[in-house]
Amino acid sequence: VQLQASGGGLVQAGGSLRLSCAASGSFFGIHNMGWYRQAPGKQRELVAAIISGGLPNYADSVKGRFTISRDNLKNTVSLQMNSLKPEDMAVYYCHAVASTYDHISYDYWGQGTQVTVSS
């Protein structure tokens, strides 16, 4: 499975950005799709994720500001980020849990996209 992320960039505090990620390759199914982020000197953390057919899960720090959406037919996941704060600045990684045709699940990561928020 390959995850191709797009979006990100530089925005002023209070602004918005949208991240998108598309999964491609050979797989039986994708279970979870979501976004993690890693700021300099910090551990990678979950931002938002959505299980196929399930409700989204958000980090407390982004609830009410970020919205994750998923298109199961297109195998894409997007993250709409509003009211961005300087503390949201990080490299954002698309993540997916997908199973092969022998029903073994693996974690996959996109290449990371930089989100910079200026104060």
Side-chain angles (χ1 to χ4, degrees), residues 33-98:
M33 291 193 82
W35 295 91
Y36 285 70
R37 67 186 181 188
Q38 187 167 20
K42 295 188 177 181
Q43 290 188 329
R44 190 173 297 189
E45 62 175 1
L46 173 69
V47 177
I50 185 166
I51 300 173
S52 179
L55 293 175
N57 180 38
Y58 296 96
D60 289 342
S61 60
V62 307
K63 285 180 180 177
R65 300 187 297 121
F66 291 10
T67 303
I68 189 171
S69 58
R70 178 176 172 176
D71 186 326
N72 291 325
L73 293 179
K74 296 181 179 179
N75 294 316
T76 59
V77 63
S78 296
L79 185 69
Q80 178 65 41
M81 305 183 292
N82 298 328
S83 302
L84 281 160
K85 304 176 180 180
E87 50 263 43
D88 295 317
M89 185 163 57
V91 177
Y92 283 69
Y93 296 91
C94 179
H95 172 259
V97 177

Side-chain angles (χ1 to χ4, degrees), residues 1 15-16 20 30 40 67 78 93 99 112 115:
V1 176
S16 298
S20 297
I30 299 179
T67 303
S78 296
Y93 296 91
S99 58
V115 171

